């Protein structure tokens, strides 16, 4: 038989009606392309920082 | 090549110089999104909403602009009772594409049906409360909340699953079976429900001591195939068991109905018919009584009305007698006031007496008393009226002076009363009334100190038109 205490850990609270608006704002729709763009922009930034660090030396 | 994100032309390669989008990746992401969408549609058609939700969530992760997928995701959420998640997806979809988007229609229909939305939302709220109660160890309270949640939002599969988990934990297998069945009826391959079914089946097999190998195979069959009537798994057996039960139950109903129709029904019908006849007879009797005014209610009403009229007459009679007695008392009091020199109080009482309630003897007596106190009281009222006139309070001055004139029409100050009343009328713009007062002074008080002025005023007002 199941261990109920462990079992209830698998359950999560469901979004309530009053929280829909907040949830949409906080989600800030992002898809995989946005994430890739973000990763690319981050890696370019760090590359540029490394480049500028090397130039300074 | 045209950039599929910003629609600008890309002269070479696949990277857009305008927005920086890698169109090759973008195309791949859109293809992946479409693939997941197709999966989602297939799952939704099979009423496997949990799988549809997962596929469609991935779909919009690949392409956030895929509003069609969001609409379907909302529908899948709605099917499993997650109305708020559905609403959220439709709102996002409607914001992505504002025109010709069914999402707006879904939102509108929910908003129009506000009571349903509130009900379903209450179910979610109760589920959340129940989950919290379970976590705090208040299982009894949690189960009550959870049952309510399922009652008001029956398609909320997560609530059914949680209830199943609880029933399994307390070894209430029959209830667990029912809730599993309910869940799988809504969401054919709900993973949690299938897991619980496997759990339940394995424990039943262990108890019954049947072949563990075959049971294991069948259980696995369920996990893999879900709620599938074609499956060789244990779920099929469960269904067939239900079918046998249903068949027996149905046969029982048919037999009982036959007995009822042939043996019990005729006598029941005849009893009921005689009751109907009796009632109809009683109705027609009551209708007759009502028309003739002989019904118990009509008789009672008429009696009460007569009694009420009698009481009203008696009340009127007593009121009249009371008023006469009161006037007699007032006359006696006025006499006492006059004897003690309080003429104003006596005059006030005598002034308010009603002539129609006085006997002839009383009338003579009252006239005597008035003659004794009215001149003095009239003078007091005149003084008061004059003061009010001087202070500019014309309305009260007029009332006081009129009363004074009524009490003392022929005293040595009566001409002054008339003069003040004339002045007030003039100030009120009532020249006709003013002329009447001045005329009375001229005609009745020739030796008055305001005679000349009244005469002048009379001439002056008579020369004016209107």
């Amino acid at each position: 038989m199941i261990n109920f205490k462990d079992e209830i850990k698998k359950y999560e609270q469901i979004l309530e009606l009053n929280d829909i608006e907040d949830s949409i704002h906080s989600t800030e729709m992002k898809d995989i392309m946005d994430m890739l763009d973000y990763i690319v922009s981050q890696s370019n930034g760090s590359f540029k920082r490394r480049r500028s660090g090397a130039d300074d030396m | 090549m045209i950039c599929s994100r910003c629609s600008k032309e890309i002269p070479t390669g696949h990277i857009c110089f305008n927005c920086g989008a890698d169109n090759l990746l973008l195309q791949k992401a859109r293809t992946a999104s479409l693939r997941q969408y197709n999966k989602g549609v297939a799952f939704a058609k099979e009423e496997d909403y949990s799988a549809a939700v997962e596929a469609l969530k991935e779909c919009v992760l690949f392409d956030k602009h895929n509003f069609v997928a969001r609409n379907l995701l909302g529908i899948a959420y709605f099917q499993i009772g997650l109305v708020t998640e559905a609403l959220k997806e439709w709102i996002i979809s409607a914001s992505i594409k504002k025109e010709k988007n069914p999402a707006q229609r879904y939102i509108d229909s929910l908003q129009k049906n506000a009571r349903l939305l509130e009900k379903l939302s209450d179910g979610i709220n109760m589920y959340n409360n129940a989950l919290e109660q379970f976590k705090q160890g208040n299982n009894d309270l949690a189960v009550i909340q959870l049952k309510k949640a399922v009652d008001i939002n029956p398609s909320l599969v997560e609530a059914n699953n949680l209830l199943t988990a609880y029933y399994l934990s307390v070894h209430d297998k029959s209830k667990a079976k029912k809730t599993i069945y309910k869940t799988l009826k809504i969401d054919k391959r709900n993973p949690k429900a299938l897991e619980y079914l496997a759990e339940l089946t394995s424990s039943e097999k262990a108890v019954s001591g049947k072949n563990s190998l075959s049971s294991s195979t069948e259980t696995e069959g369920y996990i893999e195939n879900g709620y599938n009537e074609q499956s060789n798994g244990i779920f099929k057996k469960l269904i067939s068991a239900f079918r046998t039960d249903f068949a027996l139950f149905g046969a029982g109903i048919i037999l009982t109905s036959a007995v009822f129709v042939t043996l019990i029904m005729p006598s029941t019908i005849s009893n009921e018919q005689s009751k109907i006849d009796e009632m109809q007879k009683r109705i027609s009797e009551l209708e007759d009584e009502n028309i003739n005014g002989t019904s118990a209610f009509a008789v009672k009403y008429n009696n009460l009305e007569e009694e009420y009229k009698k009481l009203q007459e008696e009340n009127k009679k007593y009121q009249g007698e009371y008023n006469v007695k009161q006037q007699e008392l007032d006359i006696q009091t006025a006499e006492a006031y006059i004897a003690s020199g309080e003429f104003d109080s006596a005059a006030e009482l005598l002034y308010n007496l009603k002539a129609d309630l006085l006997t002839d003897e009383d009338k003579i007596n009252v006239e005597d008393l008035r003659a004794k106190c009215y001149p003095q009281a009239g003078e007091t009222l005149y003084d008061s009226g004059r003061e009010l006139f001087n202070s500019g309070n014309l309305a009260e001055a007029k009332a006081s002076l009129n009363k004074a004139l009524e009490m003392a029409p022929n005293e040595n100050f009566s001409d002054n009363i008339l003069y003040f009343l004339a002045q007030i009328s003039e100030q009120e713009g009532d020249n006709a009334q003013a002329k009447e007062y001045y005329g009375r002074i001229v005609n009745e008080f020739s030796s008055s100190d305001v005679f000349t002025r009244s005469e002048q005023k009379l001439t002056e007002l008579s020369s004016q038109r209107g």
Side-chain angles (χ1 to χ4, degrees):
Chain A
M1 274 292 160
I2 61 165
N3 182 330
F4 189 60
K5 275 193 176 177
D6 291 339
E7 198 60 30
I8 57 172
K9 286 176 191 165
K10 296 178 189 170
Y11 288 84
E12 287 173 3
Q13 294 273 321
I14 299 173
L15 178 69
E16 291 196 27
L17 197 61
N18 295 334
D19 303 327
I20 292 180
E21 204 180 344
D22 292 338
S23 117
I24 291 170
H25 288 307
S26 66
T27 310
E28 269 190 30
M29 283 203 312
K30 277 180 183 159
D31 61 13
I32 206 152
M33 291 307 291
D34 296 321
M35 291 174 205
L36 283 173
D37 281 350
Y38 177 75
I39 293 163
V40 169
S41 69
Q42 287 294 302
S43 61
N44 281 349
S46 64
F47 176 69
K48 277 178 188 167
R49 277 198 299 279
R50 262 185 270 144
R51 279 286 303 271
S52 65
D55 290 346
D56 291 343
M57 278 183 6
Chain B
M1 185 178 183
I2 302 293
C3 175
S4 50
R5 184 186 275 174
C6 69
S7 305
K8 296 274 179 188
E9 196 174 336
I10 305 169
T12 52
H14 47 81
I15 310 283
C16 176
F17 295 125
N18 183 51
C19 67
D22 184 334
N23 271 255
L24 198 64
L25 269 178
L26 209 59
Q27 192 54 46
K28 282 189 174 174
R30 287 201 177 151
T31 311
S33 173
L34 197 63
R35 198 163 43 237
Q36 289 309 109
Y37 173 73
N38 289 337
K39 274 188 190 174
V41 172
F43 286 135
K45 277 184 183 170
E46 290 168 12
E47 294 179 15
D48 183 359
Y49 296 113
S50 300
V53 163
E54 288 310 311
L56 292 165
K57 270 162 83 176
E58 281 179 22
C59 171
V60 294
L61 183 67
F62 280 118
D63 181 8
K64 66 182 176 185
H65 299 291
N66 192 340
F67 71 94
V68 183
R70 282 197 190 275
N71 291 349
L72 186 59
L73 179 56
I75 291 169
Y77 274 136
F78 191 80
Q79 291 296 329
I80 55 173
L82 299 175
V83 63
T84 45
E85 293 287 353
L87 201 53
K88 181 183 155 186
E89 291 306 327
W90 292 331
I91 290 169
I92 295 172
S93 168
S95 75
I96 294 167
K97 189 164 184 347
K98 290 188 171 60
E99 286 169 8
K100 290 182 182 175
N101 184 351
Q104 194 54 54
R105 205 176 66 234
Y106 304 150
I107 297 167
D108 290 344
S109 80
L110 266 183
Q111 279 174 340
K112 273 181 199 163
N113 216 333
R115 287 190 72 177
L116 174 74
L117 179 61
E118 202 179 321
K119 201 177 126 188
L120 299 176
S121 167
D122 284 347
I124 289 172
N125 182 259
M126 282 171 189
Y127 162 82
N128 285 340
N129 289 342
L131 185 58
E132 205 50 47
Q133 297 277 10
F134 273 134
K135 283 178 182 169
Q136 287 168 8
N138 303 324
N139 290 4
D140 293 339
L141 286 175
V143 170
I144 292 168
Q145 290 263 344
L146 207 51
K147 279 182 179 172
K148 268 189 193 172
V150 172
D151 272 347
I152 63 174
N153 188 353
S155 55
L156 189 58
V157 294
E158 207 60 352
N160 274 318
N161 279 338
L162 188 54
L163 208 50
T164 308
Y166 172 75
Y167 287 142
L168 284 175
S169 73
V170 294
H171 307 284
D172 193 340
K173 290 175 189 172
S174 64
K175 282 184 181 172
K177 259 183 205 173
K178 277 181 191 169
T179 49
I180 291 170
Y181 178 70
K182 268 173 78 179
T183 303
L184 293 177
K185 212 174 170 187
I186 300 162
D187 184 17
K188 275 195 172 177
R189 291 187 202 103
N190 184 280
K192 278 179 187 155
L194 290 174
E195 196 185 318
Y196 295 144
L197 183 67
E199 180 68 38
L200 186 72
T201 314
S202 66
S203 71
E204 275 178 353
K205 288 285 166 190
V207 170
S208 63
K210 283 187 179 173
N211 188 326
S212 64
L213 186 63
S214 68
S215 92
S216 152
T217 314
E218 283 172 356
T219 308
E220 278 165 17
Y222 271 107
I223 294 166
E224 283 166 12
N225 300 326
Y227 176 62
N228 185 352
E229 290 184 20
Q230 301 304 314
S231 160
N232 291 323
I234 284 196
F235 197 69
K236 190 179 173 186
K237 284 192 177 175
L238 194 65
I239 292 290
S240 91
F242 275 134
R243 277 184 185 158
T244 315
D245 286 348
F246 280 133
L248 285 170
F249 181 67
I253 286 177
I254 292 163
L255 275 172
T256 315
S257 304
V259 170
F260 183 76
V261 168
T262 51
L263 299 175
I264 302 166
M265 220 171 155
S267 67
T268 312
I269 288 172
S270 116
N271 280 341
E272 292 301 318
Q273 191 55 49
S274 66
K275 273 184 193 170
I276 290 167
D277 291 344
E278 265 175 41
M279 287 176 101
Q280 272 176 341
K281 199 178 161 189
R282 182 68 190 133
I283 287 168
S284 56
E285 275 174 16
L286 286 170
E287 275 174 349
D288 289 344
E289 281 178 5
N290 204 25
I291 292 162
N292 302 330
T294 52
S295 72
F297 174 75
V299 169
K300 202 174 176 183
Y301 176 80
N302 290 336
N303 287 343
L304 283 170
E305 204 169 35
E306 265 175 38
E307 209 172 314
Y308 172 70
K309 274 182 191 165
K310 215 182 273 179
L311 285 169
Q312 260 189 330
E313 275 167 23
E314 271 180 31
N315 189 32
K316 207 172 170 184
K317 190 180 149 195
Y318 287 132
Q319 189 66 44
E321 280 176 14
Y322 170 79
N323 289 340
V324 169
K325 292 275 175 203
Q326 185 62 43
Q327 292 223 126
E328 281 173 8
L329 192 66
D330 285 347
I331 295 166
Q332 284 172 11
T333 313
E335 273 177 336
Y337 277 139
I338 292 167
S340 62
E342 293 174 66
F343 298 112
D344 297 344
S345 305
E348 190 63 32
L349 285 173
L350 295 169
Y351 184 81
N352 291 323
L353 293 177
K354 285 177 183 165
D356 56 333
L357 295 176
L358 296 172
T359 60
D360 291 342
E361 197 185 334
D362 281 341
K363 278 178 185 164
I364 296 164
N365 188 25
V366 166
E367 283 310 313
D368 285 348
L369 292 171
R370 281 177 176 163
K372 283 178 188 169
C373 66
Y374 266 16
Q376 288 84 345
E379 194 168 6
T380 309
L381 285 166
Y382 160 63
D383 291 339
S384 157
R386 190 181 54 202
E387 277 171 29
L388 287 163
F389 177 82
N390 291 333
S391 66
N393 191 344
L394 297 186
E396 282 187 30
K398 191 178 170 181
S400 188
L401 290 166
N402 272 324
K403 204 168 173 181
L405 189 64
E406 219 176 315
M407 286 185 179
N410 297 310
E411 297 301 316
N412 56 4
F413 52 86
S414 301
D415 51 338
N416 290 333
I417 297 175
L418 286 167
Y419 190 77
F420 278 111
L421 282 169
Q423 295 272 304
I424 291 168
S425 296
E426 262 196 280
Q427 287 193 33
E428 285 176 344
D430 188 356
N431 288 349
Q433 183 64 57
K435 270 162 70 181
E436 195 189 314
Y437 287 133
Y438 287 131
R440 277 184 69 182
I441 295 167
V442 171
N443 294 330
E444 295 170 25
F445 300 93
S446 54
S447 59
S448 167
D449 52 348
V450 290
F451 178 83
T452 317
R453 266 185 286 166
S454 299
E455 210 173 25
Q456 283 171 354
K457 278 280 181 188
L458 196 58
T459 315
E460 199 180 297
L461 288 173
S462 299
S463 66
Q464 287 176 2
R465 284 180 66 85

